[in-house]
């Protein structure tokens, strides 16, 4: 191993003379130094990645002249959770944290989940394409592959339990070069029989035309996975969270972990903006900040290099063009920023185009750029005739990639009372059901070392979602309106959302009374007018529900003010 | 010579105004109102405004109003200040005068909608 | 199931006029309005300047539309508010319409449908404004709702993008209500709104207008804190190097209106790419038998008076006994931005009304109507501008249109007039 490190140092010195020092420290390769460009830092770290996935690259290289942005935290400062003890503290309310919380609530435990944002699924879990991957792109040997197929198959039951819309829309990867057929056939067979992706098959051009009449005529054959699906990623995360709450978990929003006190390889105390928390076990599901959390816990053995990607959402009418998840591939090595991605028919029947992939040192840079959209469109227009004029909105997410480009799912190496669920990027949404079960197993192992953990006999896996009136048959819809006339008052005309559904969203077990919170739960403002008509109405419903003035209603975070007050505030006369 | 746009109606006639001794010559107007406008605009520009006033009703927090006729342009914000102090505490109707002879300008504040009548059933 | 001759969808200025028009032809009429009150968007257009053509008076939006509401109510026409159409099926020459209201899912059968659903606003994303997703970015109509109906102060320092009438009027409204408008930015080289609004909304309040400028980016994680402004070239593409950051907490977008065509599209009615509304014949009937379109759902008008006028015509026509879907299309010269109706029905006809906009500003132009190559009408126009819609009544001297007639309408700029 020491020779390996010396070789690496030599290679790095050749490419980046005098910039970087490499060290092997326990089972991590630590890079230190100063460099001028983030791309070079990424490149240097990637050069050090080992075949042995247990050895992780840790990046301590300083980017010259750049102060990395601080983690954004809510402006709320109070003592709501001060002195709170718990068996398990889950850090992060994305798909990982929420699914772990729910699976952990099968045990009689005091569980607290902290999320720094004003809602669940605010970062990567709310900013992705919602594909439930078939796993055909993954080879043996990675954790991603270990979980993906098993997890994929569990979605029907899971989504039924959590009452989350899920459709197996299928995935087609098209090829335009006939000569590739033997290679792709061999690939498909390897995936099918060695990797266990048993739904994989090759389909003819004719079959593709039957399935997707609007795909490019140049496509000669395709790799088809009927088990690929679409789900609302934030819908699933919120559903997991709500089911967790029903089973006794406490979720603390706007609560950010700021530091930890570690003593004798144990986390004693966790400081947040809302007080000090005293957990027995900590679960690190902090997404792009997972390496920062690991460092706070004195257990830093991997690094996250954020990679942002932008997706565009097309109007419902474009959704009729494509009914599955489609892309085209060549065998040319593609190092461009638009590697991967495709056209996804979402569970809400829109089309989603993207994403691209751009390395960034800013973990929360969610700003969109025009060139991302242009690039992604020019790529996927080769698959089907999609039009930018059908875009209704776009969004950017940041992937929490490790340099090994694989998940880190294990107990702490140096610190004994932490479990990491880190490096979760695609297909992290798909793998959440299986990953969360493994994380729970590790957590119970740790807890069992010093106490007996009992099953939660009252655990109820069923969560009832908010009724979706638009997609109901008219008779049932009529019955519901008879029971609750608010279901008959349409507030969002584009997505046909009623006042009753909005009130249901406000009434959820996890109370999120913001415009975006309501939008994520029942979709007013998701349509083509993007809330131009309904946003004032939704704001008014929130203000009436909460009995607060409109100036206290927020779009999302604590400072996302909608109105500064009344235009006629200083009234002192009455007529 | 001065050029101006007539704002009396959506035609927005482009006017050229020549002031010679005692006479004002207006060109470009499609109707006589354009000439009146130009003369007024040169001597003393007049405007009217619309706004809202506060009510005591939660369901209808504001109702729309207008100023009954034109008044000197430079007094717009003085008039707005008066409007901002009105609060309606009864079911007002279109045409109701909420304030008379505002600031001695000979103008009234007039309700322009029946929204209260339609919405509030006392 | 309840039956009506005509169902009007939409209770704004177009729908009210359409219902009145149909009722006056002795029709059994039902009007459905999705909002709580009749009146459509005029409820929140509290500024004046409406009704100069219809009533020869200068009315505010609520005053204008409430006159129609009064006439509508006096005719005892059936209507429901908070009623939203969810499904339309065509069966044996009738339309079965399902809608939801507080009462439940209701169904009616009608012979004619009038779609008067108005228009909606283009959004920040549709014009490729990038950056973060803060609060404080409003479309003009959304801002109008907050300020005029709810009495809310939505900002302190505002930037307005788009010099259409709504943008200009909002500049004045926000200023009067105590908000500072830093400027109105317009990507085109010429203003989009009526000249009188430039005078009485901007000049009167010393609000600067920046032509050939657009907003390309917004900043702020929670509330908007700045926008990036760029100059644009003649094709409205941003020019690199002209970036300028303007600090503000509010961005108002008045960047265009699009006819609402959810229902028309769901019925499979063909749309005109120029108006973004459906094709209609001179009865305002779409390609589908007995389905009429009027007001801003057909094309975006600049004066509400024309919206009401089209509603009235569509309403009357919906009660016709003999309906033919046969029509001939009109060959339009390139200098038109658009012309509606786009087709003329095959029938005995003395005259038809057309509305049009020129593609660019023209000091003088001649409009020529030709049938089978023969000029039947010529009219001189002065100062044509795209923002200002024109209207023309064409007299068909032959007294009828047959299916083989070839109709051409040309707009010819007279470049000699400066």
């Amino acid at each position: 191993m020491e020779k390996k490190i010396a070789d690496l140092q030599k290679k790095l010195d050749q490419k980046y003379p005098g910039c970087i020092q490499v060290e092997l420290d326990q089972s991590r390769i630590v890079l230190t130094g100063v460099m001028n460009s983030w791309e070079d830092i990424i490149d240097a770290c990637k050069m050090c990645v080992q075949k042995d996935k247990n050895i992780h690259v840790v990046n301590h290289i300083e980017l010259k002249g750049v102060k990395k942005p601080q983690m954004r935290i809510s402006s709320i400062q109070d003592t709501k959770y001060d002195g709170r003890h718990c068996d398990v503290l889950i850090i992060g309310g994305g798909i990982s944290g929420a699914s772990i919380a729910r699976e952990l609530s099968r045990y009689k435990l005091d569980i607290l989940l902290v999320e720094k944002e004003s809602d669940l699924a605010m970062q990567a879990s709310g900013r992705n394409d919602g594909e439930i991957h078939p796993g055909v792109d993954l080879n043996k040997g990675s954790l991603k592959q270990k979980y993906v197929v098993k997890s994929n198959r569990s979605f029907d039951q899971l989504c039924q339990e959590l009452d989350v819309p899920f459709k197996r829309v299928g995935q087609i990867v098209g090829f335009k070069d006939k000569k590739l057929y033997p290679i792709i056939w061999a690939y498909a067979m390897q995936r099918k029989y060695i990797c266990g992706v048993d739904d994989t098959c090759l389909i003819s051009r004719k079959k593709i035309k039957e399935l997707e009449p609007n795909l490019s005529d140049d496509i000669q054959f395709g790799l088809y996975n009927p088990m690929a699906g679409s789900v609302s990623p934030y819908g699933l995360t919120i559903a997991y969270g709500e089911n967790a709450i029903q089973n006794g978990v406490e979720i603390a929003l706007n609560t950010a972990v700021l530091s930890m006190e570690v003593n004798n390889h144990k986390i004693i105390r966790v400081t947040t903006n809302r007080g000090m928390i005293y957990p027995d076990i900590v679960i690190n599901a902090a997404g792009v900040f997972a390496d920062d959390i690991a460092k706070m816990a004195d257990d830093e053995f991997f690094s996250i290099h954020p990679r942002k990607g932008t997706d565009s959402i097309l109007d419902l009418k474009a959704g009729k063009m494509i009914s599955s998840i489609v892309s085209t591939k060549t065998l040319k090595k593609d190092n461009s920023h638009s590697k991967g991605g495709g056209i996804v028919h979402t569970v809400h029947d829109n089309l989603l185009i993207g994403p691209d992939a751009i390395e960034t040192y800013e973990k929360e840079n969610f700003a969109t750029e025009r060139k991302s959209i242009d690039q992604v469109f020019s790529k996927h227009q080769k698959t089907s005739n999609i039009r930018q004029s059908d875009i209704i909105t776009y969004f950017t997410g940041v992937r929490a990639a490790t340099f090994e480009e694989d998940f880190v799912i294990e107990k702490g190496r140096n610190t004994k009372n932490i479990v990491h669920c880190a490096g979760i990027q695609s297909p992290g949404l798909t793998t959440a059901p299986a990953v969360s079960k493994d994380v729970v197993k590790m957590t119970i192992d740790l807890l069992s070392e010093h106490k007996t953990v009992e099953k939660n006999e009252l655990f109820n896996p069923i969560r009832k979602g908010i009724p979706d009136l638009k997609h109901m048959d008219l008779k049932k819809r009529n019955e519901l309106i008879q029971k609750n006339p608010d279901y008959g008052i349409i507030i969002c005309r584009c997505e046909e959302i009623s006042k009753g559904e909005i009130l249901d969203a406000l009434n959820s077990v996890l109370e999120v009374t913001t415009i975006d919170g309501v939008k994520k739960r029942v979709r007013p403002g998701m349509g083509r007018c993007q809330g131009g008509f309904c946003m004032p109405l939704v704001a008014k419903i929130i203000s009436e529900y909460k009995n607060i003035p409109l100036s206290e209603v927020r779009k999302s975070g604590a400072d996302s003010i909608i109105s500064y007050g009344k235009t006629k505030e200083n009234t002192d006369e009455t007529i | 010579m001065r050029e101006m746009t007539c704002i009396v109606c959506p035609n927005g006639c482009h006017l050229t105004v020549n002031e010679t001794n005692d006479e004002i010559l207006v060109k470009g107007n499609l109707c006589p109102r354009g000439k009146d406008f130009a003369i007024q605009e040169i001597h003393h520009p007049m405007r009217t405004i619309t706004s809202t006033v506060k009510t005591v009703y939660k369901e209808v927090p504001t109702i729309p109003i207008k100023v009954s006729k034109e008044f000197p342009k430079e007094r717009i914000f003085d008039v707005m200040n008066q409007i901002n102090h009105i609060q309606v505490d009864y079911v007002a109707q279109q045409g109701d005068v909420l304030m008379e002879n505002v600031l001695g300008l000979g103008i009234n504040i007039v309700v322009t909608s029946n929204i209260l009548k339609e919405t509030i059933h006392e | 199931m309840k039956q009506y001759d005509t169902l009007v969808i939409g209770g704004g200025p177009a729908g009210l006029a359409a219902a009145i028009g149909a009722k006056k032809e002795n029709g059994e009429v039902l009007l459905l309005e999705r909002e709580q009150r009749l009146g459509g968007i005029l409820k929140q257009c509290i500024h004046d300047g409406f009704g100069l053509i219809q009533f020869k008076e200068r009315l505010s939006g609520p005053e204008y539309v409430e006159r129609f509401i009064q006439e509508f109510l006096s005719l005892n026409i059936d209507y429901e508010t908070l009623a939203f159409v969810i499904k339309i099926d065509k069966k044996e020459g009738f339309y079965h319409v399902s809608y939801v209201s507080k009462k439940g899912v209701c169904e009616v059968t009608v012979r004619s449908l009038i779609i008067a659903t108005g228009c909606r606003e283009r959004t920040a994303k549709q014009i490729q404004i990038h950056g973060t997703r803060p609060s404080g970015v409003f479309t003009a109509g959304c801002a109008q709702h907050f300020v005029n109906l709810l009495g809310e102060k939505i900002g302190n320092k505002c930037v307005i993008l788009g010099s259409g009438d709504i943008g200009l009027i909002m500049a004045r409204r926000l200023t009067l209500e105590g908000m500072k408008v830093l400027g109105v930015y317009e990507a085109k080289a010429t203003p989009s709104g009526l000249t009188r609004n430039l005078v009485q909304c901007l000049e009167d309040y010393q609000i600067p207008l920046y032509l050939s400028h657009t907003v390309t980016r917004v900043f702020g994680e929670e509330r908007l804190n700045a926008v990036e402004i760029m100059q644009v070239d003649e094709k409205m593409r941003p020019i690199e190097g002209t970036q300028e950051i303007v600090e503000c907490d509010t961005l108002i977008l008045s960047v265009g209106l699009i006819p609402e065509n959810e229902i028309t599209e769901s019925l499979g009615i063909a749309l005109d790419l120029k108006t973004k509304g459906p094709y209609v014949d001179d009865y305002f009937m779409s390609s589908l038998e007995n389905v009429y379109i009027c007001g801003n759902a057909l094309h975006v008008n600049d004066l509400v008076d024309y919206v009401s006028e089209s509603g009235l015509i569509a309403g009357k026509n919906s009660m016709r006994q003999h309906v033919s879907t046969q029509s001939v299309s009109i060959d339009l010269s390139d200098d038109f931005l658009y012309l509606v109706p786009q087709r003329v029905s095959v029938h005995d006809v003395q005259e038809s009304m057309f509305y049009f906009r020129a593609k660019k500003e023209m000091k003088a132009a001649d409009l020529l109507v030709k049938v089978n190559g023969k000029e039947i009408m010529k009219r001189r126009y002065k100062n044509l501008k795209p923002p200002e819609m024109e209207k023309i009544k064409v007299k068909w001297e032959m007294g009828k249109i047959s299916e083989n007639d070839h109709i051409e309408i040309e707009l010819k700029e007279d470049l000699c007039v400066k």
Side-chain angles (χ1 to χ4, degrees):
Chain A
M1 196 63 205
E2 260 166 40
K3 179 171 180 303
K4 239 184 203 166
I5 295 299
D7 284 350
L8 276 177
Q9 183 71 59
K10 213 164 135 193
K11 264 207 278 181
L12 285 168
D13 285 343
Q14 268 168 11
K15 196 162 179 188
Y16 301 109
C19 290
I20 310 159
Q21 294 79 50
V22 194
E23 258 177 280
L24 183 71
D25 168 9
Q26 291 163 338
S27 61
R28 40 178 226 171
I29 296 176
V30 184
L31 282 80
T32 49
V34 182
M35 290 180 89
N36 289 318
S37 102
W38 183 250
E39 285 72 35
D40 289 349
I41 295 177
I42 299 295
D43 180 54
C45 290
K46 283 188 171 167
M47 284 166 68
C48 299
V49 170
Q50 299 300 303
K51 274 222 172 88
D52 177 356
K53 291 285 183 69
N54 279 317
I55 300 172
H56 291 272
V57 174
V58 174
N59 169 28
H60 283 172
I61 305 170
E62 199 183 307
L63 179 57
K64 199 175 172 183
V66 173
K67 201 169 165 277
K68 285 192 199 167
Q70 293 274 304
M71 179 174 84
R72 277 166 39 200
I73 63 165
S74 163
S75 58
I76 297 172
Q77 292 279 342
D78 59 23
T79 53
K80 190 169 177 192
Y81 300 102
D82 200 35
R84 175 82 154 78
H85 287 256
C86 56
D87 293 320
V88 184
L89 174 69
I90 301 168
I91 303 172
I95 186 66
S96 301
S99 57
I100 292 166
R102 188 253 193 173
E103 292 308 321
L104 210 49
S105 68
R106 292 174 190 271
Y107 296 88
K108 253 191 205 160
L109 292 169
D110 182 0
I111 305 157
L112 175 65
L113 182 153
V114 290
E115 164 54 53
K116 77 181 183 75
E117 299 289 333
S118 59
D119 196 355
L120 299 176
M122 289 292 276
Q123 299 212 343
S125 302
R127 298 164 179 272
N128 68 80
D129 62 14
E131 177 176 359
I132 298 308
H133 290 256
V136 71
D137 55 329
L138 297 166
N139 204 350
K140 280 262 173 206
S142 67
L143 285 177
K144 287 179 179 177
Q145 202 278 330
K146 174 183 164 190
Y147 292 113
V148 71
V149 178
K150 191 165 106 188
S151 254
N152 175 299
R153 301 300 184 263
S154 71
F155 264 77
D156 305 274
Q157 192 196 333
L158 176 73
C159 291
Q160 203 175 9
E161 285 176 357
L162 297 179
D163 199 7
V164 172
F166 168 64
K167 284 182 202 159
R168 293 213 184 264
V169 293
Q171 175 187 284
I172 300 171
V173 179
F175 296 87
K176 295 189 176 183
D177 185 353
K178 261 187 187 155
K179 283 183 294 213
L180 290 176
Y181 192 90
I183 304 171
I184 302 303
W185 181 83
Y187 176 92
M189 291 306 116
Q190 191 265 349
R191 290 300 194 258
K192 192 177 178 95
Y193 295 108
I194 310 291
C195 301
V197 190
D198 53 13
D199 63 325
T200 297
C201 58
L202 290 185
I203 54 173
S204 67
R205 181 194 161 113
K206 196 175 147 223
K207 177 81 182 162
I208 291 175
K209 276 279 155 194
E210 263 172 54
L211 292 167
E212 291 288 4
N214 293 314
L215 287 199
S216 160
D217 288 333
D218 303 340
I219 294 172
Q220 304 298 329
F221 68 97
L223 187 63
Y224 182 46
N225 288 89
M227 295 302 272
S230 280
V231 74
S232 157
Y234 43 85
L236 179 64
T237 307
I238 290 167
Y240 258 131
E242 289 184 354
N243 189 230
I245 293 174
Q246 287 168 338
N247 288 302
V249 173
E250 183 177 6
I251 293 186
L253 299 175
N254 297 305
T255 308
V257 170
L258 306 174
S259 66
M260 292 182 194
E261 192 182 312
V262 185
N263 198 346
N264 198 19
H265 303 282
K266 263 197 86 172
I267 299 161
I268 307 295
R269 192 171 74 180
V270 174
T271 306
T272 74
N273 55 321
R274 313 192 73 174
M276 312 253 201
I277 299 167
Y278 301 84
D280 202 345
I281 306 284
V282 170
I283 295 175
N284 174 13
V288 281
F289 294 103
D291 55 347
D292 300 297
I293 294 293
K295 194 173 175 184
M296 283 180 204
D298 197 17
D299 202 40
E300 185 195 25
F301 61 90
F302 56 90
S303 277
I304 302 290
H305 62 104
R307 189 162 56 220
K308 72 178 208 170
T310 298
D311 278 290
S312 304
I313 303 178
L314 306 193
D315 196 287
L316 282 173
K317 65 173 188 253
K320 297 197 178 97
M321 280 176 52
I322 306 272
S323 61
S324 56
I325 298 162
V326 296
S327 60
T328 39
K329 282 220 160 36
T330 53
L331 285 197
K332 259 188 265 158
K333 212 172 157 73
D334 185 359
N335 283 325
S336 75
H337 289 319
S338 61
K339 173 160 90 176
I343 304 174
V344 175
H345 183 101
T346 72
V347 78
H348 299 296
D349 294 325
N350 297 92
L351 288 189
L352 223 142
I353 316 295
D356 59 346
I358 296 167
E359 297 290 346
T360 169
Y361 58 84
E362 295 172 285
K363 293 186 167 179
E364 294 176 288
N365 180 355
F366 300 124
T368 58
E369 307 290 338
R370 184 168 193 157
K371 58 178 187 287
S372 285
I373 311 261
D374 290 344
Q375 243 176 34
V376 163
F377 264 78
S378 72
K379 179 181 162 129
H380 297 302
Q381 270 160 350
K382 289 173 193 152
T383 306
S384 182
N385 189 23
I386 46 172
R387 295 180 313 184
Q388 283 207 25
S389 58
D390 284 328
I391 292 179
I392 55 175
T393 190
Y394 27 80
F395 59 85
T396 293
V398 181
R399 305 167 179 91
T402 62
F403 290 104
E404 295 71 36
E405 299 294 343
D406 200 5
F407 303 159
V408 176
I409 295 162
E410 57 184 281
K411 295 174 193 165
R413 292 188 180 182
N414 187 45
T415 302
K416 299 302 171 202
N417 63 338
I418 188 166
V419 178
H420 300 284
C421 179
I424 305 296
Q425 50 162 321
S426 174
L429 178 71
T430 312
T431 52
V435 166
S436 58
K437 289 198 160 79
D438 261 13
V439 171
V440 165
K441 222 177 279 165
M442 293 174 196
T443 309
I444 300 299
D445 277 357
L446 287 178
L447 281 166
S448 304
E449 286 170 14
H450 56 272
K451 67 186 272 186
T452 40
V453 181
E454 287 173 46
K455 284 246 171 186
N456 176 6
E457 301 299 341
L458 297 173
F459 177 81
N460 181 0
I462 306 298
R463 169 243 181 207
K464 201 78 211 94
I466 296 164
D468 175 7
L469 278 96
K470 183 186 178 182
H471 297 103
M472 239 170 233
D473 72 72
L474 296 186
K475 200 169 156 245
K476 201 170 165 211
R477 190 169 178 173
N478 186 42
E479 281 168 20
L480 269 179
I481 299 172
Q482 301 296 336
K483 271 187 226 148
N484 178 2
D486 281 343
Y487 286 132
I489 300 175
I490 301 295
I491 298 293
C492 166
R493 52 179 82 168
C494 304
E495 294 284 322
E496 220 176 289
I497 312 299
S498 68
K499 185 177 179 182
E501 289 159 272
I502 292 168
L503 286 171
D504 285 351
L506 293 170
N507 249 320
S508 307
V509 287
L510 177 65
E511 193 181 68
V512 181
T513 51
T514 60
I515 302 276
D516 282 358
V518 170
K519 182 174 165 182
K520 273 186 167 168
R521 283 158 180 78
V522 283
R523 297 178 60 75
M526 288 280 191
R528 47 176 77 162
C529 92
Q530 286 289 294
F533 285 118
C534 67
M535 197 270 265
L537 302 174
V538 174
K540 208 162 163 247
I541 293 172
I542 294 173
S543 90
E544 283 162 11
Y545 174 82
K546 294 275 287 178
N547 200 17
I548 52 172
L550 281 164
S551 56
E552 283 174 33
V553 174
R554 294 291 176 264
K555 177 180 186 281
S556 175
D559 297 323
S560 59
I561 294 163
I562 307 275
S563 166
Y564 291 93
K566 291 282 174 193
T567 52
K568 323 275 169 181
E569 203 66 86
N570 40 7
T571 302
D572 44 26
E573 277 169 45
T574 294
I575 297 237
Chain B
M1 197 186 79
R2 236 180 94 179
E3 298 196 12
M4 61 177 73
T5 302
C6 178
I7 61 171
V8 174
C9 85
N11 280 333
C13 293
H14 184 81
L15 309 178
T16 50
V17 189
N18 269 308
E19 220 173 338
T20 51
N21 300 330
D22 282 342
E23 211 188 357
I24 295 176
L25 264 174
V26 182
K27 277 187 190 161
N29 51 315
L30 287 172
C31 78
R33 289 179 299 177
K35 188 175 177 184
D36 298 343
F37 171 79
I39 294 167
Q40 184 63 259
E41 190 72 3
I42 287 213
H43 291 308
H44 201 171
M46 303 282 274
R47 292 291 184 270
T48 175
I49 52 171
T50 63
S51 181
T52 61
V53 295
K54 195 175 169 177
T55 80
V56 296
Y57 304 102
K58 216 178 154 190
E59 307 90 310
V60 185
T62 56
I63 59 170
I65 54 97
K66 68 179 178 185
V67 171
S68 57
K69 61 179 206 240
E70 286 161 332
F71 61 95
K73 182 171 146 183
E74 72 273 11
R75 303 298 300 276
I76 286 176
F77 285 96
D78 298 331
V79 173
M80 269 310 295
N81 192 33
Q82 295 297 307
I83 292 170
N84 288 344
H85 283 81
I86 297 173
Q87 172 162 280
V88 176
D89 63 354
Y90 76 103
V91 178
Q93 297 191 34
Q94 202 189 100
D96 283 7
V97 173
L98 298 179
M99 192 186 264
E100 281 185 338
N101 192 17
V102 182
L103 300 170
L105 293 166
I107 51 170
N108 301 335
I109 306 298
V110 182
V111 176
T112 58
S113 168
N114 284 323
I115 177 167
L116 281 177
K117 201 175 101 182
E118 263 184 57
T119 319
I120 311 292
H121 304 286
E122 283 179 333
Chain C
M1 202 184 293
K2 266 203 152 178
Q3 295 202 357
Y4 288 94
D5 295 316
T6 296
L7 169 67
V8 180
I9 305 175
L16 290 166
I20 292 168
K23 182 76 179 183
K24 285 185 173 169
E25 297 291 310
N26 297 318
E28 284 292 315
V29 184
L30 172 67
L31 180 143
L32 296 177
E33 164 56 44
R34 59 188 159 198
E35 290 191 46
Q36 193 163 5
R37 296 176 59 226
L38 295 173
I41 204 70
L42 286 184
K43 296 194 296 289
Q44 66 185 51
C45 301
I46 65 161
H47 56 280
D48 69 359
F50 299 96
L52 285 156
I53 298 172
Q54 285 276 342
F55 298 114
K56 310 281 179 258
E57 270 182 74
R58 200 159 88 179
L59 302 172
S60 71
E63 287 173 317
Y64 178 95
V65 79
E66 287 179 20
R67 288 196 181 188
F68 279 88
I69 293 175
Q70 261 164 23
E71 186 180 359
F72 173 85
L73 295 175
S74 73
L75 291 169
N76 287 316
I77 299 167
D78 282 0
Y79 74 102
E80 271 189 61
T81 55
L82 290 177
F84 191 90
V85 172
I86 54 168
K87 197 161 149 273
I88 300 174
D89 294 315
K90 194 178 177 184
K91 267 180 220 154
E92 292 142 21
F94 288 90
Y95 293 95
H96 294 262
V97 179
S98 307
Y99 63 95
V100 293
S101 73
K102 281 193 275 191
K103 288 188 250 167
V105 180
C106 313
E107 286 175 9
V108 287
T109 300
V110 299
R111 199 175 61 95
S112 302
L113 271 176
I114 300 179
I115 296 170
T117 46
C119 56
R120 64 189 154 86
E121 299 175 280
R122 290 174 79 202
T123 66
K125 300 298 166 83
Q126 283 171 323
I127 54 164
Q128 292 267 4
I129 294 179
H130 285 276
T132 52
R133 301 176 105 181
S135 65
V137 180
F138 300 91
T139 58
C142 186
Q144 213 172 35
H145 190 142
F146 274 115
V147 177
N148 292 351
L149 293 181
L150 301 173
E152 293 293 321
K153 191 179 174 198
I154 51 163
N156 298 301
K157 285 161 79 182
C158 315
V159 160
I160 296 181
L161 178 61
S163 65
D165 290 316
I166 312 166
L168 302 177
I169 284 160
M170 276 316 284
R172 177 176 59 182
R173 287 289 306 129
L174 296 177
T175 307
L176 285 176
E177 300 302 332
M179 294 164 249
K180 172 82 187 154
V181 177
L182 302 172
V184 174
Y185 294 84
E186 168 60 57
K188 296 200 200 93
T190 53
S192 298
L194 299 172
T195 316
R196 65 193 287 259
N197 284 332
L198 293 172
V199 176
Q200 60 182 357
C201 298
L202 299 191
E203 281 173 29
D204 277 0
Y205 299 92
Q206 291 98 46
I207 298 166
L209 171 65
Y210 303 92
L211 296 172
S212 300
H213 280 74
T214 194
V215 173
T216 45
R217 203 173 175 84
V218 296
F219 301 94
E221 298 297 341
E222 301 247 325
R223 175 83 188 195
L224 181 75
N225 58 36
V227 296
E228 177 188 79
I229 307 278
M230 281 174 90
Q231 284 179 37
V232 296
D233 62 19
E234 65 282 359
K235 285 188 175 154
M236 296 203 277
R237 288 171 307 206
I239 301 166
E240 266 316 308
T242 61
Q243 285 90 337
E244 183 196 341
I245 305 294
V246 175
E247 281 182 29
C248 59
D249 59 25
T250 308
L251 172 63
I252 308 283
L253 299 166
S254 169
V255 290
L257 300 169
I258 308 161
E260 275 232 65
N261 36 43
E262 270 84 351
I263 294 175
T264 29
E265 277 189 309
S266 74
L267 288 168
I269 292 170
L271 298 186
D272 181 350
L273 290 176
K274 290 181 184 150
T275 58
K276 305 204 167 56
Y279 287 104
V280 290
D281 66 18
D282 51 335
Y283 289 109
F284 290 111
M285 191 174 84
S286 68
S287 54
L288 209 59
E289 199 178 334
N290 290 324
V291 177
Y292 298 82
I293 327 281
C294 58
N296 285 349
L298 176 58
H299 66 115
V300 177
N301 293 257
D302 42 35
L303 295 180
V304 70
D305 308 73
Y306 295 136
V307 166
S308 304
E309 186 178 275
S310 72
L312 207 62
I313 298 171
K316 275 191 180 148
N317 290 338
S318 75
M319 291 302 299
R320 287 183 295 163
Q321 286 310 309
H322 302 288
V323 173
S324 152
T325 47
Q326 265 197 322
S327 60
V328 292
S329 67
I330 296 166
D331 260 356
L332 218 54
S333 71
D334 285 345
D335 278 339
F336 282 103
L337 189 63
Y338 68 71
L339 178 138
V340 277
Q342 299 90 339
R343 309 179 68 87
V344 181
S345 173
V346 171
H347 64 316
D348 292 341
V349 61
Q350 300 301 321
E351 55 185 39
S352 304
M353 184 75 83
F354 292 93
Y355 304 85
F356 69 91
R357 289 175 196 273
K359 204 178 221 166
K360 54 177 192 200
E361 280 194 27
M362 297 181 206
K363 286 279 175 217
D366 290 318
L367 184 141
L368 305 170
V369 183
K370 292 182 194 167
V371 177
N372 302 327
K374 187 187 161 212
E375 184 181 309
I376 62 158
M377 200 174 152
K378 180 175 178 175
R379 188 157 147 199
R380 182 80 167 178
Y381 284 89
K382 275 187 191 164
N383 287 323
L384 286 177
K385 291 175 184 171
E388 295 177 14
M389 197 181 80
E390 303 286 342
K391 190 171 122 172
I392 184 169
K393 197 181 266 180
V394 174
K395 288 196 167 29
W396 309 107
E397 53 186 35
M398 59 286 189
K400 65 183 258 190
I401 301 288
S402 337
E403 55 196 298
N404 294 323
D405 282 337
H406 180 216
I407 305 173
E408 292 166 273
I409 303 186
E410 260 178 66
L411 197 57
K412 268 193 182 157
E413 186 174 10
D414 185 348
L415 293 167
C416 300
V417 179
K418 286 279 172 244

